[in-house]
Amino acid sequence: MNQFEFHTTEEMLALCHKHKLSIGEVAKRYESERSGKSVSAVRNKMKQTRDVMYEAVRKGIHSTQKSKMGMVGGDAHKMHLALKKMPEMMGNKVTVRAMSYAMAVGEQNASMGRIVAFPTAGGAGVIPGVLFSSAEHFKAGKRKLLNGMFCSSAVGLIIAEGATLSAAKGGCQAEVGAGVAMAAAGLTEMRGGTPDQCFHASAMALKSYLGLACDPLGGLVEVPCIKRNSLGCMVAIGASDMAIAGVKSFIPFDEVVLAMRNIAKIMSPKIRETALGGLAVTKTGNMIKQKLGMKITPMDL
Amino acid sequence: MSNLSIFDIAGPIMVGPSSSHTAGACKIGQFARALFHDTPKKVTFYLHGSFGEVYKGHATDLALLAGVMKLKTSDPNIKNAFEIADQRHIQYKFIPKDLGEKYHPNTVEVILEDGKNKMSVIGSSIGGGMIEIVKIDEFDVYLQGSAGKHLSLVVCHQKNPKIMAELIKKINKLGIRIAETVESSFKDERLTVLSLEGRRITLPEVIDLEMNTEGVDFIRSLSKLQTQ
């Protein structure tokens, strides 16, 4: 077994305490050990990943292009404009900007732009939304942001090992839910939270997403996915605030992950990315199906 | 327990909208193109299951064609695949077709033709951008397309055990180990997939092996694709 190998929260925390390192730093060393590349090479790869994410955000906040089916497009731009009229908003600059960034990535994905599937295409907005917006607020150095991204990846890896990151297997909790839990930990690390606090933030965030259906209209990653990413930023920031304030999750993160796996197992396939239940079979959902030449599904009430 | 990379989570970098219907489809196209070894003049895609039902909404058609033209899964030009194919005088057709129950719902049969040669490749997109190639012409195969430890060499040769033995000797001489050999036969021909370990085999080496080993019809290296 490699020195920095981990599969669970417990193992990760033991490594953090033993080496007096943050989660992000352990993740970096884990990847270096696993791939046989230097830590700086691993960091450089994450920089490339970050640059692609930035590019998607930058394009998305200025784009007003509608997606092929006309269901989404231009909302990131609206949220971006709202940043100039903050007195009208209830959230602060960090949250409004995070929501606009998350939408930007989702809209780019829907219109065939280049994105990073972090952790998946469907949940790709939350992490850039939360981490980039907060980094701008802290005026954080590059290293801090990268560490946040490494920390988020480590949390994602624990979810992938213990449960799943595929909505086809586990519903939306496994994609947007996972993204929110990952972003909550990444943000907490960037703010100087301890590894324990990071996992408390993740646990509290993921608990709020357990059981969420994956029921996109026409099976496309557009409605409700993009707005779910956007609002997921609020939950991630909230969970991180709670952890920093000293609130602890009563259930440890590893157990929350197992709960997610359990729910995935008993969840109907109709709400696992098949467009056969939930929002996908509403009147509007069926209209989109018809437009796409798919079979209409009567709503089972 | 699997040994995931941090970049399996923070990645892949891809063009949307779907990892299975877009990124995976593009990858199947790349594999088909690599196995065919040349730019085809005509490509026909038979779309099975979910691919056949929702390919338009997920741009599966664009991604497949882009892959056949060697575009990467992260290339923003995927959305212009039809125009690029027209410029390169490549004919393309998409036909929904039931390939049979044994195939994964996200499966496509790609028929590549260039006037002289014709090849059929069947591939499935199994989620998260990962794919499997399950059939090449009449041969049942199993090739995986995700960042794995092994790199594959696909060899089509006559059914004579000496041919493979000689080829493996040559590969070992290059300092490359063979981790696994999987064979599939049809009539007098055999298709062998070699999983290589150690360093990456270079294109000149592959061409040299193909030209100078008797009884070998073709050798295709998939190393570049598998680590992309």
Short mmCIF file of all heavy atoms in Angstrom, two decimals, chain B residues 109-142:
data_model
loop_
_atom_site.label_atom_id
_atom_site.label_comp_id
_atom_site.label_asym_id
_atom_site.label_seq_id
_atom_site.Cartn_x
_atom_site.Cartn_y
_atom_site.Cartn_z
N GLU B 109 -22.64 0.76 -34.36
CA GLU B 109 -21.81 0.03 -35.30
C GLU B 109 -21.33 1.03 -36.34
O GLU B 109 -22.12 1.74 -36.94
CB GLU B 109 -22.62 -1.10 -35.98
CG GLU B 109 -21.77 -1.85 -37.00
CD GLU B 109 -22.50 -3.01 -37.66
OE1 GLU B 109 -23.73 -3.11 -37.53
OE2 GLU B 109 -21.80 -3.83 -38.28
N VAL B 110 -20.03 1.10 -36.49
CA VAL B 110 -19.44 2.04 -37.44
C VAL B 110 -18.92 1.26 -38.64
O VAL B 110 -18.14 0.33 -38.47
CB VAL B 110 -18.27 2.83 -36.79
CG1 VAL B 110 -17.82 3.95 -37.70
CG2 VAL B 110 -18.65 3.36 -35.42
N ILE B 111 -19.37 1.62 -39.83
CA ILE B 111 -18.85 0.98 -41.05
C ILE B 111 -18.00 2.02 -41.77
O ILE B 111 -18.49 3.09 -42.14
CB ILE B 111 -20.00 0.53 -41.98
CG1 ILE B 111 -21.05 -0.26 -41.22
CG2 ILE B 111 -19.44 -0.21 -43.20
CD1 ILE B 111 -20.89 -1.73 -41.18
N LEU B 112 -16.72 1.73 -41.92
CA LEU B 112 -15.81 2.66 -42.58
C LEU B 112 -15.41 2.09 -43.94
O LEU B 112 -15.09 0.91 -44.06
CB LEU B 112 -14.56 2.87 -41.73
CG LEU B 112 -14.79 3.28 -40.27
CD1 LEU B 112 -14.52 2.12 -39.34
CD2 LEU B 112 -13.90 4.45 -39.90
N GLU B 113 -15.43 2.95 -44.96
CA GLU B 113 -15.06 2.49 -46.31
C GLU B 113 -14.20 3.55 -46.99
O GLU B 113 -14.40 4.74 -46.78
CB GLU B 113 -16.33 2.30 -47.15
CG GLU B 113 -17.21 1.16 -46.70
CD GLU B 113 -18.59 1.21 -47.33
OE1 GLU B 113 -18.73 0.75 -48.47
OE2 GLU B 113 -19.50 1.74 -46.67
N ASP B 114 -13.23 3.09 -47.79
CA ASP B 114 -12.45 4.06 -48.58
C ASP B 114 -12.33 3.64 -50.04
O ASP B 114 -11.41 4.01 -50.72
CB ASP B 114 -11.08 4.31 -47.94
CG ASP B 114 -10.13 3.13 -48.10
OD1 ASP B 114 -10.58 2.07 -48.57
OD2 ASP B 114 -8.95 3.28 -47.75
N GLY B 115 -13.29 2.83 -50.50
CA GLY B 115 -13.23 2.39 -51.90
C GLY B 115 -12.56 1.03 -52.01
O GLY B 115 -13.07 0.13 -52.63
N LYS B 116 -11.39 0.87 -51.34
CA LYS B 116 -10.69 -0.41 -51.39
C LYS B 116 -11.08 -1.28 -50.20
O LYS B 116 -11.43 -2.45 -50.33
CB LYS B 116 -9.17 -0.18 -51.35
CG LYS B 116 -8.60 0.40 -52.62
CD LYS B 116 -7.12 0.59 -52.49
CE LYS B 116 -6.84 1.55 -51.38
NZ LYS B 116 -5.79 2.45 -51.37
N ASN B 117 -11.00 -0.70 -49.02
CA ASN B 117 -11.22 -1.46 -47.80
C ASN B 117 -12.54 -1.09 -47.13
O ASN B 117 -13.05 0.01 -47.29
CB ASN B 117 -10.09 -1.21 -46.80
CG ASN B 117 -8.76 -1.60 -47.38
OD1 ASN B 117 -8.59 -2.71 -47.91
ND2 ASN B 117 -7.81 -0.69 -47.31
N LYS B 118 -13.01 -2.05 -46.33
CA LYS B 118 -14.24 -1.82 -45.57
C LYS B 118 -14.03 -2.46 -44.21
O LYS B 118 -13.49 -3.56 -44.11
CB LYS B 118 -15.41 -2.47 -46.30
CG LYS B 118 -16.75 -2.18 -45.68
CD LYS B 118 -17.86 -2.71 -46.55
CE LYS B 118 -19.21 -2.56 -45.86
NZ LYS B 118 -20.31 -3.10 -46.63
N MET B 119 -14.43 -1.76 -43.16
CA MET B 119 -14.29 -2.34 -41.82
C MET B 119 -15.51 -2.00 -40.99
O MET B 119 -16.09 -0.93 -41.12
CB MET B 119 -13.04 -1.78 -41.16
CG MET B 119 -12.72 -2.40 -39.81
SD MET B 119 -11.26 -1.67 -39.09
CE MET B 119 -10.15 -3.04 -39.04
N SER B 120 -15.88 -2.95 -40.13
CA SER B 120 -16.99 -2.70 -39.23
C SER B 120 -16.48 -2.76 -37.80
O SER B 120 -15.75 -3.67 -37.43
CB SER B 120 -18.08 -3.75 -39.46
OG SER B 120 -18.73 -4.04 -38.25
N VAL B 121 -16.83 -1.75 -37.01
CA VAL B 121 -16.41 -1.71 -35.60
C VAL B 121 -17.65 -1.46 -34.75
O VAL B 121 -18.42 -0.54 -35.03
CB VAL B 121 -15.39 -0.56 -35.35
CG1 VAL B 121 -15.03 -0.45 -33.89
CG2 VAL B 121 -14.14 -0.76 -36.19
N ILE B 122 -17.86 -2.28 -33.72
CA ILE B 122 -18.98 -2.04 -32.81
C ILE B 122 -18.43 -1.63 -31.45
O ILE B 122 -17.56 -2.30 -30.89
CB ILE B 122 -19.88 -3.29 -32.67
CG1 ILE B 122 -20.45 -3.68 -34.04
CG2 ILE B 122 -21.01 -3.05 -31.67
CD1 ILE B 122 -21.44 -4.82 -34.00
N GLY B 123 -18.92 -0.50 -30.94
CA GLY B 123 -18.45 0.00 -29.65
C GLY B 123 -19.59 0.44 -28.77
O GLY B 123 -20.64 0.85 -29.26
N SER B 124 -19.40 0.36 -27.45
CA SER B 124 -20.41 0.80 -26.49
C SER B 124 -19.82 1.86 -25.57
O SER B 124 -18.68 1.77 -25.16
CB SER B 124 -20.87 -0.37 -25.62
OG SER B 124 -21.23 -1.46 -26.42
N SER B 125 -20.65 2.85 -25.24
CA SER B 125 -20.25 3.88 -24.29
C SER B 125 -20.86 3.51 -22.94
O SER B 125 -22.08 3.51 -22.79
CB SER B 125 -20.76 5.23 -24.77
OG SER B 125 -20.43 6.23 -23.85
N ILE B 126 -20.01 3.17 -21.98
CA ILE B 126 -20.55 2.56 -20.76
C ILE B 126 -20.65 3.52 -19.58
O ILE B 126 -20.92 3.11 -18.46
CB ILE B 126 -19.71 1.32 -20.37
CG1 ILE B 126 -18.24 1.70 -20.19
CG2 ILE B 126 -19.86 0.23 -21.41
CD1 ILE B 126 -17.40 0.59 -19.59
N GLY B 127 -20.45 4.82 -19.83
CA GLY B 127 -20.66 5.81 -18.77
C GLY B 127 -19.38 6.53 -18.38
O GLY B 127 -18.30 5.95 -18.42
N GLY B 128 -19.53 7.81 -18.03
CA GLY B 128 -18.38 8.61 -17.60
C GLY B 128 -17.31 8.77 -18.66
O GLY B 128 -16.15 9.02 -18.35
N GLY B 129 -17.69 8.59 -19.95
CA GLY B 129 -16.72 8.75 -21.03
C GLY B 129 -15.92 7.50 -21.31
O GLY B 129 -15.04 7.48 -22.16
N MET B 130 -16.22 6.42 -20.56
CA MET B 130 -15.49 5.17 -20.80
C MET B 130 -16.20 4.36 -21.88
O MET B 130 -17.42 4.36 -21.96
CB MET B 130 -15.41 4.36 -19.51
CG MET B 130 -14.41 4.94 -18.54
SD MET B 130 -14.37 4.04 -17.00
CE MET B 130 -15.91 4.53 -16.28
N ILE B 131 -15.42 3.68 -22.70
CA ILE B 131 -16.02 2.90 -23.78
C ILE B 131 -15.42 1.50 -23.87
O ILE B 131 -14.37 1.23 -23.29
CB ILE B 131 -15.83 3.60 -25.15
CG1 ILE B 131 -14.33 3.67 -25.53
CG2 ILE B 131 -16.43 4.97 -25.16
CD1 ILE B 131 -14.12 3.39 -26.98
N GLU B 132 -16.11 0.66 -24.63
CA GLU B 132 -15.60 -0.68 -24.94
C GLU B 132 -15.80 -0.92 -26.43
O GLU B 132 -16.84 -0.58 -26.97
CB GLU B 132 -16.44 -1.75 -24.21
CG GLU B 132 -16.29 -1.78 -22.73
CD GLU B 132 -17.35 -2.65 -22.06
OE1 GLU B 132 -18.24 -3.17 -22.76
OE2 GLU B 132 -17.27 -2.79 -20.83
N ILE B 133 -14.79 -1.48 -27.06
CA ILE B 133 -14.97 -1.94 -28.44
C ILE B 133 -15.24 -3.44 -28.33
O ILE B 133 -14.45 -4.17 -27.71
CB ILE B 133 -13.71 -1.68 -29.29
CG1 ILE B 133 -13.40 -0.18 -29.35
CG2 ILE B 133 -13.86 -2.27 -30.69
CD1 ILE B 133 -14.40 0.66 -30.10
N VAL B 134 -16.38 -3.90 -28.85
CA VAL B 134 -16.76 -5.30 -28.63
C VAL B 134 -16.68 -6.15 -29.89
O VAL B 134 -16.70 -7.37 -29.82
CB VAL B 134 -18.16 -5.40 -27.99
CG1 VAL B 134 -18.12 -4.89 -26.56
CG2 VAL B 134 -19.19 -4.65 -28.80
N LYS B 135 -16.61 -5.52 -31.06
CA LYS B 135 -16.53 -6.32 -32.28
C LYS B 135 -15.77 -5.56 -33.36
O LYS B 135 -15.99 -4.37 -33.56
CB LYS B 135 -17.94 -6.66 -32.77
CG LYS B 135 -17.98 -7.90 -33.63
CD LYS B 135 -19.40 -8.45 -33.75
CE LYS B 135 -19.31 -9.80 -34.44
NZ LYS B 135 -20.61 -10.41 -34.66
N ILE B 136 -14.84 -6.26 -34.03
CA ILE B 136 -14.15 -5.70 -35.18
C ILE B 136 -14.37 -6.68 -36.32
O ILE B 136 -13.98 -7.84 -36.22
CB ILE B 136 -12.64 -5.53 -34.90
CG1 ILE B 136 -12.41 -4.61 -33.70
CG2 ILE B 136 -11.93 -4.98 -36.14
CD1 ILE B 136 -10.97 -4.54 -33.23
N ASP B 137 -15.00 -6.23 -37.38
CA ASP B 137 -15.45 -7.11 -38.47
C ASP B 137 -16.19 -8.31 -37.87
O ASP B 137 -17.17 -8.10 -37.18
CB ASP B 137 -14.27 -7.53 -39.34
CG ASP B 137 -13.83 -6.37 -40.25
OD1 ASP B 137 -14.66 -5.50 -40.52
OD2 ASP B 137 -12.65 -6.33 -40.64
N GLU B 138 -15.70 -9.53 -38.09
CA GLU B 138 -16.42 -10.68 -37.56
C GLU B 138 -15.85 -11.14 -36.21
O GLU B 138 -16.30 -12.12 -35.65
CB GLU B 138 -16.35 -11.85 -38.56
CG GLU B 138 -17.03 -11.56 -39.90
CD GLU B 138 -18.52 -11.27 -39.77
OE1 GLU B 138 -19.13 -11.76 -38.80
OE2 GLU B 138 -19.05 -10.53 -40.62
N PHE B 139 -14.84 -10.46 -35.72
CA PHE B 139 -14.17 -10.91 -34.50
C PHE B 139 -14.80 -10.29 -33.25
O PHE B 139 -14.95 -9.07 -33.17
CB PHE B 139 -12.69 -10.54 -34.51
CG PHE B 139 -11.94 -11.07 -35.69
CD1 PHE B 139 -11.54 -10.22 -36.71
CD2 PHE B 139 -11.62 -12.41 -35.79
CE1 PHE B 139 -10.83 -10.71 -37.80
CE2 PHE B 139 -10.92 -12.90 -36.88
CZ PHE B 139 -10.53 -12.05 -37.89
N ASP B 140 -15.12 -11.13 -32.28
CA ASP B 140 -15.55 -10.60 -30.98
C ASP B 140 -14.31 -10.18 -30.22
O ASP B 140 -13.38 -10.97 -30.07
CB ASP B 140 -16.29 -11.69 -30.19
CG ASP B 140 -17.67 -11.95 -30.76
OD1 ASP B 140 -18.33 -10.97 -31.17
OD2 ASP B 140 -18.07 -13.12 -30.82
N VAL B 141 -14.29 -8.96 -29.73
CA VAL B 141 -13.12 -8.48 -28.99
C VAL B 141 -13.58 -7.78 -27.71
O VAL B 141 -14.77 -7.63 -27.46
CB VAL B 141 -12.27 -7.48 -29.81
CG1 VAL B 141 -11.65 -8.16 -31.01
CG2 VAL B 141 -13.10 -6.29 -30.24
N TYR B 142 -12.63 -7.35 -26.94
CA TYR B 142 -12.95 -6.54 -25.78
C TYR B 142 -11.81 -5.55 -25.56
O TYR B 142 -10.77 -5.90 -25.04
CB TYR B 142 -13.16 -7.41 -24.54
CG TYR B 142 -13.48 -6.61 -23.31
CD1 TYR B 142 -14.73 -6.00 -23.19
CD2 TYR B 142 -12.55 -6.44 -22.31
CE1 TYR B 142 -15.03 -5.24 -22.08
CE2 TYR B 142 -12.84 -5.68 -21.20
CZ TYR B 142 -14.08 -5.08 -21.08
OH TYR B 142 -14.37 -4.32 -19.98
#
